[in-house]
Each structure stands twice: as C-alpha cells, then as structure tokens.
C-alpha cells in the first residue's frame, strides 16, 4: 500500500463492508493455505477506508466511530477473518498514530489519509536520546500487517525525562514511548506460523539504531490514559482499556458467525439430527451474547465518559466475549464430526481462526480484566 494513492470513499467503512466480505471470502481458502492475503484484498482494505477511519479530519481522514468500525469488521470476518483482522488493526493503529505532534502527522498524512500504519504495542525495544530525537533499536513480535504497511509504530523503553541521559539524577523508572518508523527502515522476519489467522502476516519487526525525530514520538501514557495533547477529537481521546479489546474481539466474533453459517450449511439430510440442531442453537446464543458485549464496548468507547467502572466492564466484556466465542466454535466442531474437519470445509478454518484470535493477550482475564474488574467490584485488595 502506498500513502496518498487511494481515492476517498464516498461513505464510511460500513458502506463497503459487504462488498469487501464477498471479495475476501473468495480468496479466504487460498489466503489460509499460502499465509498471505491476495494483493487485491489488501488494496481493498485501503480503498474501502479502513486506513483513514480514525485519521484526523484535518488530514482528510474520516475521524469515524468505534461503532461503525466494529460493525464493518464483524461483517468482513464472516467471510474472511484474516482480512477483518487486518482491517481492524489498520484502523486502530492509525488512531494511536494520531497522538503524534502536528509535524509528525504531516509526515504520515501530508500526502493523503490512506497511509497504512502497523503497530507493535508491547515495549520490546530501547531508545536513547540523540540530537534532534531518539535512536531506536529492538525486536517486536506479532506486528500484524507489517508487510503491507507504510509506517510502523513501535513501543520502546526510554530514559525518563530528567534522568541520567538528560543530565539529571539516577533512580527514576524508565519511560515508555511510541516511535513512528518508515517501513523501509525496518527488517521484517517472517516468523508468523500459526494454526489460525494464518494470512494476517503477524511477523517480527527488527530495528537497528534508527534515528527517529522527536516529532515522530510520543509518550505511551497518552494512549493508556486517552489524553491526546494534539487533538481534541473525541475518538482520539479514548483510554486504551475502552478500545483495546475491540480490535481483536470483533474479528473473532465475525469469524464465529462465519463458523455458524458453515455448520448450518452441513445440516441437510441425515446430518440434520436433534443433537446437531441443539449444538447449533447453543452456539448461536453464545455468538449473539458475545456480539452484544462487543457492541456495548463500542458504544462505551463512542460515549465519551470513562469511569473506572466503565473501563473495567469493557475489559471484562472483551474477555468474556472471547470465552463465549471459543465455546461456540467448539460446539460447532464437535457437532459437525469428522466431515466438518475436512480441509475443504470452511468450518475448520473458522474454528482455527477464532481459537487463535481469542488467545490474544488483550482478551485474557488474567492479563486484562481480572485486576481492573475485581478492583471496581470489590475495592482494592487488602494486605
């Protein structure tokens, strides 16, 4: 994808979601087999507005809502979960990049709002102050869509302001900062080899002593807290706990709905048994419940009010949705029997995709929801 080459969609991402679903579905089996999305599918993600969905309106972006994006991702995932995953993370990564100062935004979006950003969120690298900016080095795993990106947004540890590197006293904790790096300055190692979401290209990015100007960096705490120093836009001032689970849970939920479609298509003739129908009903209830939780999270993110309790509910909702979705596709696979697991059957592909998507760290109780929700419900732990 090349920045600034797309034509602005007449409408938002919801308008073309069904068209993109159909296109991606036609390539889904081949993408799963090859481990890569077809070029025309990659191009369609950009041309349908996902790269610009959260880009500031001042730079030609849609500055859209979480609700519209979530609905579009749910639709696309019903045909190809890997395409939906890339569409979702392309949009969410650009929202992170909107924390850049004005000069940094100009560098990313001065040629047009369709610049594709991939993100490595864990602080896996290190940065040291340099003349005019920072020198960045490190290795980041699971950077989805990096092969198609124009820029990569990477989180790294950096000396705290006023610390020894700045001539100040020692002893302060290091800071965590994001750094925007051109894709050409990165080395990509093709390490992604999973049983599901195979075509997401979630490879490893390596950066070696790259100079990053100050205007292409910002403090990670801005993303966590939802306080954007450079944009008053509502969508750019949403705390990460309100939105993080959405990026990953929505593709999983759409994929589970695709699994339900695939299972239902097998229930003909002798296969339409009471047992199979019961599993269909039980799975459909879990998928609908998960979708409602995800849509509630999107509404919270768009609502603009972020209390500790609401953020805790969002993290719990995302983890619960992931649990429900894995239960649902397990029911379907067990109901389909051996025939449903044949390589030519789409059910087994959707099952693998949901299983991998739901394993993401942002959707685990222990790493997201447990601490925040238990504290909101019970108060701080004593002793």
């Amino acid at each position: 994808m090349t920045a600034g080459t797309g034509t602005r969609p007449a409408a938002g991402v919801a308008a073309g979601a069904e068209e993109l679903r159909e296109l991606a579905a036609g390539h889904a089996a081949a993408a799963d087999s090859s481990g890569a999305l077809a070029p025309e599918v990659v191009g369609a993600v950009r041309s349908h507005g996902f790269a610009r969905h959260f880009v500031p309106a001042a730079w030609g972006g849609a500055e859209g809502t979480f609700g519209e994006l979530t609905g579009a991702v749910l639709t696309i995932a019903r045909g190809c979960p890997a395409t939906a995953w890339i569409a979702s993370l392309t949009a969410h990564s650009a929202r992170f990049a909107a924390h850049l100062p004005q000069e940094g935004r100009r560098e990313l979006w001065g040629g047009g709002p369709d610049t594709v950003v991939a993100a490595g969120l864990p602080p896996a690298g290190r940065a040291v102050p340099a003349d005019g900016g920072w020198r960045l080095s490190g290795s980041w795993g699971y950077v989805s869509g990096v092969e198609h990106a124009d820029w990569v947004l990477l989180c790294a540890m950096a000396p705290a302001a006023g610390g020894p590197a700045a001539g100040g006293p020692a002893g302060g904790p290091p800071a965590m900062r994001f750094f925007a790096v051109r894709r050409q300055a990165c080395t990509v190692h093709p390490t992604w080899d999973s049983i599901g979401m195979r075509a997401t290209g979630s490879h490893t990015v390596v950066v070696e002593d790259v100079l990053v100007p100050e205007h292409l960096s910002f403090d990670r705490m801005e993303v966590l807290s939802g306080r954007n120093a450079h944009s008053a836009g509502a969508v750019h001032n949403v705390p990460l706990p309100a939105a993080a689970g959405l990026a990953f849970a929505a593709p999983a939920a759409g994929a589970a709905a695709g699994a339900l479609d695939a299972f239902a298509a097998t229930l003909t003739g002798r296969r339409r048994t009471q047992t199979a129908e019961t599993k269909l009903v039980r799975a459909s209830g879990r998928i609908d419940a998960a979708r409602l939780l995800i849509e509630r999270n999107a509404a919270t993110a768009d609502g603009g009010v972020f209390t500790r309790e609401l953020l805790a509910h969002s993290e719990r909702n995302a983890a619960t949705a992931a649990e429900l979705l894995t239960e649902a596709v397990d029911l379907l696979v067990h109901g389909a029997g051996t025939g449903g697991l044949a390589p030519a059957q789409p059910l087994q592909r959707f099952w693998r995709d949901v299983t991998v998507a739901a394993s993401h760290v942002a959707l685990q109780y222990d790493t997201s929801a447990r601490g925040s929700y238990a504290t909101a419900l019970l108060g701080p732990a004593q002793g």
Side-chain angles (χ1 to χ4, degrees):
M1 298 186 187
T2 302
T5 60
T7 57
R8 183 163 188 173
V13 293
E18 181 60 29
E19 178 183 343
L20 182 52
R21 183 198 67 78
E22 293 178 1
L23 172 66
H27 293 274
D32 179 68
S33 178
S34 68
L37 296 179
E40 52 265 51
V41 173
V42 174
V45 170
R46 174 174 58 83
S47 65
H48 281 73
F50 287 90
R52 67 174 65 195
H53 182 73
F54 285 138
V55 172
W59 295 102
E63 210 165 306
T65 66
F66 288 95
E68 182 181 7
L69 175 64
T70 298
V73 169
L74 286 164
T75 296
I76 297 163
R78 205 161 186 160
C80 178
T83 300
W85 185 273
I86 293 301
S88 178
L89 295 191
T90 293
H92 282 272
S93 296
R95 192 183 80 88
F96 298 147
H99 284 271
L100 287 167
Q102 188 78 344
E103 188 177 349
R105 294 176 176 201
R106 182 178 293 108
E107 197 156 345
L108 262 68
W109 298 310
D114 293 314
T115 299
V116 174
V117 181
L121 300 184
R126 289 196 172 274
V128 295
D131 188 20
W134 304 82
R135 301 209 73 92
L136 176 68
S137 298
S139 176
W140 291 261
Y142 309 119
V143 183
S144 298
V146 64
E147 292 181 307
H148 317 302
D150 302 302
W151 288 81
V152 186
L153 195 63
L154 302 169
C155 188
M157 306 294 288
M176 299 181 194
R177 298 186 65 83
F178 277 105
F179 300 87
V181 180
R182 290 186 184 274
R183 165 65 180 82
Q184 297 93 319
C186 305
T187 300
V188 176
H189 296 294
T191 54
W192 180 245
D193 185 18
S194 177
I195 65 165
M197 289 290 182
R198 291 181 48 78
T200 60
S202 303
H203 299 309
T204 298
V205 172
V206 175
V207 172
E208 297 181 0
D209 197 32
V210 170
L211 178 63
V212 181
E214 185 66 36
H215 65 267
L216 291 176
S217 179
F218 58 89
D219 194 317
R220 179 174 178 260
M221 186 53 65
E222 289 196 15
V223 172
L224 295 177
S225 67
R227 298 187 183 94
N228 193 318
H230 306 285
S231 174
V235 75
H236 301 138
N237 288 271
V238 176
L240 186 61
L246 279 172
F248 312 106
L260 190 72
D261 293 339
F263 179 74
T266 69
L267 297 189
T268 58
R270 289 181 300 170
R271 290 183 177 272
R272 186 165 177 174
T273 65
Q274 181 177 342
T275 298
E277 288 183 351
T278 299
K279 290 186 184 297
L280 176 76
V281 173
R282 292 175 65 199
S284 69
R286 284 164 170 76
I287 294 167
D288 278 357
R291 179 170 184 148
L292 288 171
L293 289 171
I294 291 165
E295 290 173 343
R296 178 181 292 181
N297 278 11
T300 295
D302 285 328
V305 176
F306 305 109
T307 64
R308 184 182 67 177
E309 288 75 15
L310 280 174
L311 295 179
H313 273 82
S314 290
E315 291 187 309
R316 183 211 62 182
N317 290 352
T320 302
E323 183 176 63
L324 290 168
L325 294 169
T326 55
E327 290 175 357
V329 293
D330 283 351
L331 281 166
L332 297 175
V333 165
H334 291 147
T338 304
L341 294 175
Q345 292 295 329
L347 174 60
Q348 53 81 27
R349 172 168 49 82
F350 283 114
W351 172 55
R352 289 186 284 110
D353 286 344
V354 171
T355 300
V356 170
S359 73
H360 195 279
V361 66
L363 302 178
Q364 306 308 303
Y365 286 109
D366 283 344
T367 52
S368 62
R370 181 196 56 79
S372 62
Y373 190 76
T375 300
L377 188 66
L378 306 173
Q382 302 297 316

